[in-house]
Amino acid sequence: MIEIKNLSKAYKKRKVLHHIDATISNPGIYAVLGPNGSGKTTLMKICMGLVLPDEGDVYIYRESVRASIQYRRMVSYLPQIARFPDNLKVKELLQLTEHLRGKAQRKEMLMELLDLDPYMDQLFRNLSGGTQQKVNLVTCLMYDVPLYLLDEPTAALDPVTQIRLKEFIQHERERGKMVVLTTHVPHLVQAIADEIFFLLYGDIYFHGSVEQLIGAYQANDVEEAIARLLMYEQEKVKI
Ligand SMILES: Nc1ncnc2c1ncn2[C@@H]1O[C@H](COP(=O)(O)OP(=O)(O)OP(=O)(O)O)[C@@H](O)[C@H]1O
Ligand SMILES: [Mg+2]
């Protein structure tokens, strides 16, 4: 369960999040959308205690992220940009993660799902961008926790891997998990999201289901609905 209460964050004069309120109570897949720079990553980092809000708080399983770190045992976070010590081999990175975080429950299964076995003895810095993202995904998803915060999980992945990851996330939902993800891939949202939170101008500009978003903008699909939402807003700004 996630409760966001009156959350505000600015970097110097740039207001990124402005008195945001939201609650996610049920298992499901929740898409946090919005244009570049709309504050999606900032919101996720606040949830993990990596960025401090200026005002308000987030409660994860009723624990304040400002006051507690216990809740982090229940959460696995996928950063948008993986920053690992890149002089380590993949197998050493996974060992390091398990050393810091404890034994993972499904490392082998994910290595197989993402075809990572052939890369175990390679240095992280020598991997292709998509393979680095697969390592990022394994370090996050190998922990069987109730809540996943995934910041652009499909970035840089090839289509086959995107499909496998999508199915994995859907399976997690069926197992009763809560998955909050950001993405710029509209068809992924359309395929798997139960609810959408669309960030714009520091606010939650739209909150509802895929069908409600498509209906609100009389669009044929999520891609068209988002395009219309943003064009409509640009027109308003011009006026
Ligand atoms: N540490 C920081 N210092 C200063 N400004 C920052 C910092 N982190 C983020 N910002 C700014 O805050 C705004 C929101 O950034 P954020 O990374 O949260 O956006 P985003 O919605 O995740 O974008 P994207 O879709 O490109 O990933 C941007 O204008 C960004 O430049
Ligand atoms: Mg981001």
Side-chain angles (χ1 to χ4, degrees), residues 4-8 18-22 54-57:
I4 298 171
K5 292 192 178 165
N6 193 33
L7 192 71
S8 295
H18 198 52
H19 301 296
I20 283 191
D21 289 291
D54 301 323
E55 239 185 290
D57 205 345

Side-chain angles (χ1 to χ4, degrees), residues 105-122:
Q105 293 82 23
R106 48 189 185 184
K107 183 170 66 177
E108 284 73 25
M109 184 267 267
L110 279 158
M111 302 273 300
E112 199 175 319
L113 184 80
L114 299 175
D115 287 331
L116 264 184
D117 278 319
Y119 302 97
M120 284 301 261
D121 285 311
Q122 291 203 16

Side-chain angles (χ1 to χ4, degrees), residues 7 11 14 20 23 35 38 40 81-82 97 106 110 133 139 160 163 167 183 186 214 229:
L7 192 71
Y11 293 108
R14 184 176 158 70
I20 283 191
T23 303
S38 55
K40 304 179 295 295
I81 298 167
T97 307
R106 48 189 185 184
L110 279 158
Q133 176 68 351
T139 58
V160 171
I163 290 170
E167 289 172 356
T183 180
I214 292 172
L229 181 162

Side-chain angles (χ1 to χ4, degrees), residues 4 7 9 14-22 31-47 151 180-184 196-208 213 217 226 229-230 233:
I4 298 171
L7 192 71
K9 175 69 189 176
R14 184 176 158 70
K15 285 182 186 168
V16 177
L17 302 171
H18 198 52
H19 301 296
I20 283 191
D21 289 291
V32 179
L33 308 182
N36 296 133
S38 55
K40 304 179 295 295
T41 295
T42 300
L43 181 60
M44 287 213 169
K45 285 184 174 173
I46 290 174
C47 288
D151 200 349
V180 181
L181 57 85
T182 76
T183 180
H184 290 293
I196 294 169
F197 294 88
F198 197 95
L199 297 184
L200 196 63
Y201 309 140
D203 206 352
I204 297 176
Y205 185 88
F206 171 89
H207 170 218
L213 178 70
Y217 290 90
I226 293 172
L229 181 162
L230 292 172
E233 274 309 309

